[in-house]
Amino acid sequence: MFSRDEPDFHVITTSQAPQGLLADIRALLHQSQLGMDDDIEYFVVALSGRRLIGCAGLVSNTIKCVAVTADWRGENLSARLLSEVENFAVQRGKLHLFLYTRPGNLERFRGCGFYPLVQWDNVAVLMENTPVGISQYCRALKRHYHEGQRVGAVVMNANPFTLGHRYLAEQAAATCDWLHVFVVSEDVSYFPFQERLEMVRQGVADLPNVTVHAGSEYMISRATFPGYFLKDAGLVNQTWSVMDLLIFRQYIAPALGITHRFVGSEPFCPVTHQYNCDMHDWLETPSRSASKPLTVIELPRKRHAGGIAISASEVRALLKTCQLPRIRDIVPPSTYTHLEHHYCAEAPAETARSDELIISTTLC
């Protein structure tokens, strides 16, 4: 018989955890048919005596890898684990938390104070720890509402803002009564979010019918999207796309009256190319959501004189080798001035995460 000692809860830093404990966590997750995502920063573990009986992971503001041993299920241990994770997250300044899980667990986590945002059939459901989070965000967006029969949207990482991004925004704005440009806020890019946001604002400042929005937590980052309950890598990418696009269609677009979503063609990255295909499916197909469909407009990328498509990755590569003169031809003057002032003396140091982690929802 296993000991039924009252559980003790401990927070461990994954990078410093004993290998034996990590092995026990992996084994517990495996018993629940779950994997263990590599990006988890912390685990809250529940111990009965020396035995691991439950765990819950945390990365940024996303809870992952919640599991309880079979003999402790029905003992309210999941709720206690989530409470411990939330308390720890609050201490770190993370008040708004998300949780992805299988739809079969929806009621279990609803009973722990999480509320569903979007669900894709029997594949996945996204939940948050507040019943009013998305409604508050939509009310804030509505302050930027503009009337129009054709209201467009562009979502970009702008890492950094290039003439390709400028071309996309300019072409979209020219065909719309109003255009909303969202800059992805996840701060794991080569350039910090505030720099990217400012480069976009300066780069479109002369367009009179454009609002630039700082992206929110409701624009899902591919870099931290969980795959622990999805066995297939292709399914992970597709689930990320579906969740991101459903949130846009069901909440963001109605709040701003958006009718069209503009995107640049993707000749380089297969994952982003697939996202563009998913965008047509999940935003345009009436049966994909009860919310009104959008029209997706895919524009060819702006190209060099030699015919090669302009990309932000090209700018980053040139910047690493301090080839500023070559950058001048592929970025707006405002971006060039920023790079010259902040990165002229030396190339920026490598960030902790590879550029390859950043998969933009439009031009990278």
Side-chain angles (χ1 to χ4, degrees):
M1 291 288 293
F2 288 119
S3 168
R4 302 297 293 186
D5 294 341
E6 179 68 12
D8 291 322
F9 296 91
H10 303 272
V11 177
I12 65 168
T13 303
T14 308
S15 61
Q16 300 174 2
Q19 287 302 310
L21 180 55
L22 290 179
D24 289 344
I25 291 172
R26 287 191 178 91
L28 173 58
L29 292 170
H30 181 73
Q31 292 168 15
S32 301
Q33 297 183 314
L34 301 174
M36 179 172 162
D37 284 357
D38 294 333
D39 62 348
I40 295 178
E41 300 167 324
Y42 304 96
F43 268 104
V44 171
V45 295
L47 302 175
S48 178
R50 292 189 173 185
R51 178 179 173 236
L52 176 70
I53 58 172
C55 66
L58 180 70
V59 53
S60 185
N61 65 337
T62 299
I63 297 173
K64 301 182 178 186
C65 298
V66 180
V68 173
T69 58
D71 58 304
W72 274 86
R73 291 169 192 166
E75 301 285 339
N76 205 36
L77 188 56
S78 292
R80 295 178 67 182
L81 278 166
L82 288 174
S83 178
E84 293 288 337
V85 171
E86 287 191 82
N87 289 338
F88 175 71
V90 167
Q91 294 171 17
R92 297 183 57 80
K94 304 289 186 181
L95 306 181
H96 187 199
L97 301 178
F98 293 94
L99 186 152
Y100 299 85
T101 188
R102 298 184 181 113
N105 295 325
L106 191 152
E107 292 305 321
R108 169 190 171 198
F109 289 117
R110 193 196 295 268
C112 298
F114 281 77
Y115 301 84
L117 273 172
V118 289
Q119 179 176 338
W120 178 25
D121 296 337
N122 293 318
V123 180
V125 59
L126 169 60
M127 310 182 78
E128 61 178 339
N129 67 334
T130 169
V132 297
I134 190 64
S135 59
Q136 288 178 339
Y137 176 60
C138 289
R139 281 199 298 272
L141 284 179
K142 286 179 180 177
R143 293 198 293 266
H144 304 283
Y145 181 91
H146 288 268
E147 292 285 350
Q149 293 186 342
R150 187 178 173 108
V151 178
V154 173
V155 181
M156 62 176 64
N157 202 39
N159 187 33
F161 187 77
T162 69
L163 286 177
H165 296 102
R166 164 69 193 200
Y167 176 80
L168 178 62
E170 190 172 10
Q171 293 297 307
T175 65
C176 290
D177 299 299
W178 203 268
L179 178 69
H180 297 275
V181 176
F182 296 87
V183 183
V184 176
S185 61
E186 189 76 13
D187 222 346
V188 291
S189 298
Y190 194 98
F191 294 91
F193 166 63
Q194 289 299 331
E195 289 190 26
R196 292 186 286 109
L197 180 63
E198 186 58 28
M199 281 188 276
V200 175
R201 283 176 171 162
Q202 292 184 16
V204 300
D206 62 311
L207 301 178
N209 61 332
V210 174
T211 299
V212 177
H213 300 264
S216 75
E217 297 165 320
Y218 293 106
M219 290 184 171
I220 301 172
S221 167
R222 177 65 187 89
T224 57
F225 187 79
Y228 66 92
F229 63 95
L230 302 167
K231 301 298 184 183
D232 179 75
L235 185 59
V236 173
N237 289 331
Q238 188 178 8
T239 304
W240 159 65
S241 298
V242 171
M243 293 286 169
D244 186 60
L245 294 169
L246 282 178
I247 289 176
F248 191 88
R249 177 171 171 175
Q250 293 176 193
Y251 299 107
I252 296 173
L256 291 169
I258 292 168
T259 60
H260 291 68
R261 174 94 175 245
F262 292 83
V263 62
S265 60
E266 180 48 68
F268 302 119
C269 176
V271 175
T272 307
H273 172 73
Q274 183 58 51
Y275 182 91
N276 287 358
C277 295
D278 292 338
M279 194 180 302
H280 285 282
D281 184 11
W282 287 90
L283 295 185
E284 292 186 317
T285 305
S287 61
R288 287 299 196 183
S289 172
S291 298
K292 186 177 179 180
L294 307 178
T295 300
V296 177
I297 306 294
E298 189 166 353
L299 298 174
R301 284 211 192 193
K302 185 174 179 62
R303 296 178 178 273
H304 290 281
I308 301 174
I310 294 174
S311 71
S313 58
E314 179 185 8
V315 177
R316 298 193 298 270
L318 291 171
L319 194 61
K320 288 178 181 179
T321 54
C322 301
Q323 298 185 63
L324 280 173
R326 292 180 59 186
I327 293 175
R328 189 189 293 272
D329 295 332
I330 54 178
V331 300
S334 54
T335 297
Y336 184 82
T337 299
H338 178 88
L339 298 180
E340 189 177 39
H341 285 174
H342 297 280
Y343 297 98
C344 183
E346 56 183 351
E350 293 292 338
T351 53
R353 298 186 185 219
S354 161
D355 288 338
E356 280 64 41
L357 282 176
I358 307 304
I359 301 175
S360 167
T361 53
T362 60
L363 299 173
C364 63

